[in-house]
Amino acid sequence: TVHLNALTPAGETALMLASYFPTEDSGASAEDHEAVARMLVDAGATLENEPYNYTPLAYAAYQGRESMIRYLIKRGARVNPDGTARSTYVNTPLMMAAMRGHLNSTLLLLRAGADPKVRVVNGHTAAELAAKYNSAEVARILRCAESTGSVEMRMPHSQTSRFSLDL
């Protein structure tokens, strides 16, 4: 029997790995991994993970895989932690994109409703992680998002138009 949602010892699902890879030396393209991800989802793989674990969307955001981010969100992946709490025990997809300085991924997640005010318990917000890891532009946008609550207010329209933000 095939278990689509089986976990590795590190708590990763096959969909998480397909969302994370490829690396330059893997020999496979991003399109190959995205095709695998689509097959997994079509076969019933979950878009989420066990509590207090990363998700496929978080892995895609960490790698800046914009096409994968769009796909997972369209299929129903959650951009925020469960409930209305503004705290979490693991980094959210927005935090993952921010700490790696992935501007387009950050904007995609914000447009999809990611809450920039969420904080890791005893830790940082996405803006603080971006600043910590030297992503000043992402940090600036996230600080603005924290204060305005409006995606459209984050950047002048002329700058926003250069990004593919539509989900």
Side-chain angles (χ1 to χ4, degrees), residues 18-88:
S19 300
Y20 181 83
F21 290 105
T23 59
E24 292 178 14
D25 60 351
S26 71
S29 69
E31 292 80 22
D32 292 337
H33 282 88
E34 189 165 330
V36 169
R38 289 175 187 269
M39 286 189 292
L40 288 165
V41 171
D42 288 345
T46 182
L47 297 171
E48 303 306 326
N49 198 350
E50 300 294 319
Y52 312 115
N53 284 284
Y54 292 111
T55 63
L57 183 58
Y59 271 32
Y62 185 79
Q63 292 292 69
R65 303 218 24 233
E66 295 166 36
S67 177
M68 183 67 72
I69 292 167
R70 279 189 200 88
Y71 172 73
L72 292 169
I73 290 170
K74 282 181 181 178
R75 291 305 298 255
R78 292 191 321 249
V79 296
N80 290 312
D82 285 334
T84 58
R86 286 223 162 123
S87 63
T88 182

Side-chain angles (χ1 to χ4, degrees), residues 143-165:
R143 282 192 300 273
C144 185
E146 288 175 356
S147 65
T148 67
S150 170
V151 174
E152 302 306 323
M153 297 291 291
R154 291 191 186 109
M155 297 179 69
H157 180 58
S158 61
Q159 285 183 313
T160 303
S161 63
R162 70 185 168 123
F163 301 111
S164 177
L165 298 177

